[in-house]
Amino acid sequence: MNGLDWTVLIGYFGVMVAIGLWSHKRVDNVSDFFTAGGRMPWWLSGISHHMSGYSAVMFTGYAGIAYQYGITSYVTWSFPIAIGIAIGARLFAGRLNRLRSRLHVASPLEYLKTRYNLPTQQALAWSGVLLKIVDVGAKWAAIATLLSVFTGVSLNQGILITGLVTAVYCTVGGLWADALTELGQFVIQLLAGLAMLVTVLAELGGVSALWTVWDRLPDTHTQPTVGPYTLTFLLAYLFIKTFEYSGGMWNQAQRYMATSSAHEARRSALLSAALWFIWPVVLFFPMWVAPLLVKAEKPDASDSYALLTEHLLPHGLLGLVIVGFFSHTMAMCSSDANAIAAVFTRDIAPAVSAKARDWSHRAGLVAARLSTLAFLGLSMAIATQVNSPAFAGIISVVIKWVAGLVGPISIPFLLGMLPLFRRSGPVAALTSWAAGLFAFWLTNYGIADVSLQIQIVSPVAVSLVLFVLIGLVKPEATPERDAVLARINSDGDDDGPGAAALAVPGQPAPRDQKKPV
């Protein structure tokens, strides 16, 4: 990197902080901080939903898969995500929005206390928070590693720089800042991705390389499933990502809750699905043809994209692409931080502290910002231990942890909104959660030589089967739970007389809720 690249990188950090400070004036209460007060346009929500699903792993781990195996990196990753989000647009997006508009909650998990009970809500909340601390720590380590490669700063310095910039804008501006910075990050990534594509095509002889280059690559590069990425893996991944990207890991759920209506939430989901279907092809093409241009030095080829940028791009554009690396990871980390702060402030703290149940508007907002900082600080501390023998193993398998554990956490949360599963109550939810966690431990650590597909699919499959079967064998439907489902599933998107008639017995009065404008 030279002075021009540094100017681009520093300018990017400055713009992110400025957006956060500007967003501050749009945040008056907890509802604004966590769900944008229900005033976010559907197109901004959709772009934010799309961007919050990326990280630097796209340019390291998946770049290595693209380098080694070709188009299977798209077929078994972004394509099933696109399909899963499209499914979620029909099943979950509108219902998640009604959690805010009908039940007046600011955290995705708030409704679980009435839908199941307090122990179920706390089990899902605590396990999800602990998982995300390590997950986001791994993402900080990944982006700091890239920063170290390109700039020479140390790993810990890279973690501190990216973490502090993210902390400023997402703590000050809440979900508004997350979404607006993700919009800016999307524009940056659009420019950087197109610049990389044009540069690679010019190096390979022009636009015709899009269809002529494949004869120069290994035959396996055009096979949709190859190596460990089999058809079984694809189906398992589709199953898991449908839950994860439809709101199962909470940050995506917030994007749907932030729109003004269930209809707008569905439009947001369909936009995100379309972006996942189209945009990764632009990003992946340079990675697919990278074997013709550079020779990867690492066994897993995770350095191939970084080598490609250094080899092809002039200064300035190199800085723009590096900013693209940051944009994805910072978008995901900031959205996770906001979601976890929502769960802690609205679900965990009131359960363990009587004072938290009586927080004023101002006290609740202060707690939201402090919990955001605490989460970012803990995840950054985990990231600094990436090379420690005690933590290296955890960081290296965290992606598998998320894939394996998303089912036990998300199935009671998401399926609990569907009338089809109204008979499944607290026993079904807690049993499916605990058994799913046990299945994850058993297939990953208890039994040797279990295939990757079994490791990934067994926790979510066990959770799903038990959640359904226990609901049939031991139904726990009650008038209170049926009332919650009625409000989430009834037609209409407003809070008028029709919605008011569906009052939930025992549901607390609305807190920090602002009418959509």
Side-chain angles (χ1 to χ4, degrees):
M1 290 179 64
N2 68 1
L4 183 58
D5 297 319
W6 275 107
T7 300
V8 172
L9 184 59
I10 294 172
Y12 164 74
F13 284 151
V15 169
M16 295 302 101
V17 171
I19 290 174
L21 295 175
W22 180 86
S23 301
H24 178 70
K25 63 184 179 182
R26 303 181 69 92
V27 178
D28 295 325
N29 52 50
V30 171
S31 177
D32 290 335
F33 192 83
F34 291 133
T35 63
R39 294 172 292 156
M40 188 176 292
W42 68 270
W43 55 267
L44 179 58
S45 170
I47 291 174
S48 177
H49 184 283
H50 174 73
M51 287 297 294
S52 65
Y54 285 97
S55 74
V57 175
M58 168 72 180
F59 303 101
T60 53
Y62 282 105
I65 295 172
Y67 183 96
Q68 294 175 304
Y69 298 110
I71 67 170
T72 193
S73 61
Y74 171 82
V75 174
T76 61
W77 180 61
S78 56
F79 179 71
I81 290 175
I83 299 300
I85 295 173
I87 294 171
R90 177 67 179 86
L91 291 179
F92 303 119
R95 292 179 170 92
L96 286 165
N97 180 268
R98 292 190 186 107
L99 293 182
R100 177 196 57 77
S101 65
R102 298 287 181 79
L103 304 185
H104 305 289
V105 301
S107 158
L109 300 190
E110 275 189 82
Y111 96 105
L112 294 178
K113 183 178 178 180
T114 305
R115 174 59 181 87
Y116 298 112
N117 57 17
L118 181 61
T120 302
Q121 180 200 45
Q122 294 300 297
L124 298 183
W126 280 102
S127 56
V129 167
L130 294 174
L131 173 64
K132 273 300 180 181
I133 289 174
V134 181
D135 177 34
V136 173
K139 296 183 177 93
W140 290 134
I143 193 61
T145 300
L146 286 174
L147 183 63
S148 176
V149 170
F150 284 107
T151 67
V153 302
S154 70
L155 180 69
N156 288 351
Q157 289 172 334
I159 293 168
L160 184 64
I161 292 169
T162 52
L164 286 179
V165 171
T166 305
V168 170
Y169 75 75
C170 76
T171 301
V172 171
L175 191 64
W176 272 117
D178 286 350
L180 291 171
T181 53
E182 284 159 358
L183 174 62
Q185 290 158 353
F186 176 73
V187 173
I188 291 170
Q189 186 54 54
L190 181 69
L191 297 174
L194 290 175
M196 190 65 172
L197 177 64
V198 170
T199 302
V200 167
L201 289 176
E203 191 76 9
L204 295 174
V207 177
S208 61
L210 289 171
W211 56 86
T212 61
V213 75
W214 303 101
D215 291 338
R216 299 160 57 188
L217 291 164
D219 292 339
T220 55
H221 257 54
T222 56
Q223 295 179 15
T225 56
V226 64
Y229 307 102
T230 62
L231 179 61
T232 303
F233 177 91
L234 169 60
L235 295 175
Y237 203 78
L238 171 61
F239 190 55
I240 291 167
K241 293 304 174 181
T242 298
F243 286 101
E244 181 179 350
Y245 280 76
S246 293
M249 291 307 287
W250 312 339
N251 57 327
Q252 287 89 357
Q254 286 182 297
R255 272 67 188 163
Y256 300 147
M257 295 171 68
T259 58
S260 61
S261 68
H263 174 69
E264 297 292 272
R266 287 189 289 269
R267 294 179 73 186
S268 165
L270 292 175
L271 173 59
S272 180
L275 290 173
W276 274 103
F277 182 73
I278 298 169
W279 180 240
V281 176
V282 177
L283 296 179
F284 268 130
F285 183 81
M287 303 178 193
W288 293 334
V289 301
L292 301 176
L293 301 171
V294 296
K295 182 175 177 57
E297 297 175 0
K298 294 186 177 180
D300 62 356
S302 60
D303 60 341
S304 59
Y305 196 79
L307 294 172
L308 198 63
T309 59
E310 290 184 317
H311 176 66
L312 294 180
L313 295 181
H315 291 293
L317 279 182
L318 176 60
L320 187 64
V321 170
I322 294 171
V323 163
F325 296 161
F326 282 95
S327 67
H328 284 319
T329 299
M330 292 174 71
M332 179 174 278
C333 292
S334 63
S335 66
D336 280 337
N338 189 271
I340 295 304
V343 170
F344 177 81
T345 305
R346 305 289 285 191
D347 303 317
I348 294 176
V352 299
S353 170
K355 291 183 178 180
R357 292 192 285 273
D358 297 319
W359 275 335
S360 64
H361 294 306
R362 178 175 175 78
L365 190 55
V366 170
R369 288 182 166 131
L370 289 177
S371 56
T372 301
L373 286 174
F375 171 78
L376 289 172
L378 286 172
S379 62
M380 290 164 62
I382 291 291
T384 63
Q385 303 302 309
V386 65
N387 294 320
S388 166
F391 287 94
I394 292 178
I395 298 298
S396 66
V397 302
V398 70
I399 296 175
K400 184 168 65 175
W401 282 22
V402 174
L405 296 177
V406 66
I409 294 172
S410 65
I411 282 176
F413 164 49
L414 291 175
L415 297 189
M417 295 187 295
L418 304 182
L420 182 63
F421 303 102
R422 61 178 292 271
R423 296 162 63 95
S424 297
V427 173
L430 282 173
T431 303
S432 68
W433 167 80
L437 296 184
F438 178 74
F440 171 79
W441 173 84
L442 187 66
T443 55
N444 284 270
Y445 303 103
I447 302 175
D449 301 323
V450 177
S451 69
L452 178 62
Q453 293 90 332
I454 298 299
Q455 289 177 338
I456 290 176
V457 79
S458 59
V460 68
V462 168
S463 293
L464 178 62
V465 170
L466 288 176
F467 185 77
V468 174
L469 287 182
I470 294 174
L472 294 174
V473 174
K474 183 179 172 55
E476 296 180 274
T478 66
E480 291 80 8
R481 291 168 189 149
D482 287 345
V484 170
L485 288 174
R487 297 202 74 180
I488 296 172
N489 289 277
S490 60
D491 292 333
D493 292 321
D494 60 82
D495 289 321
L502 296 168
V504 180
Q507 182 72 22
R511 295 185 296 169
D512 300 330
Q513 184 69 15
K514 183 182 290 185
K515 284 284 187 180
V517 295

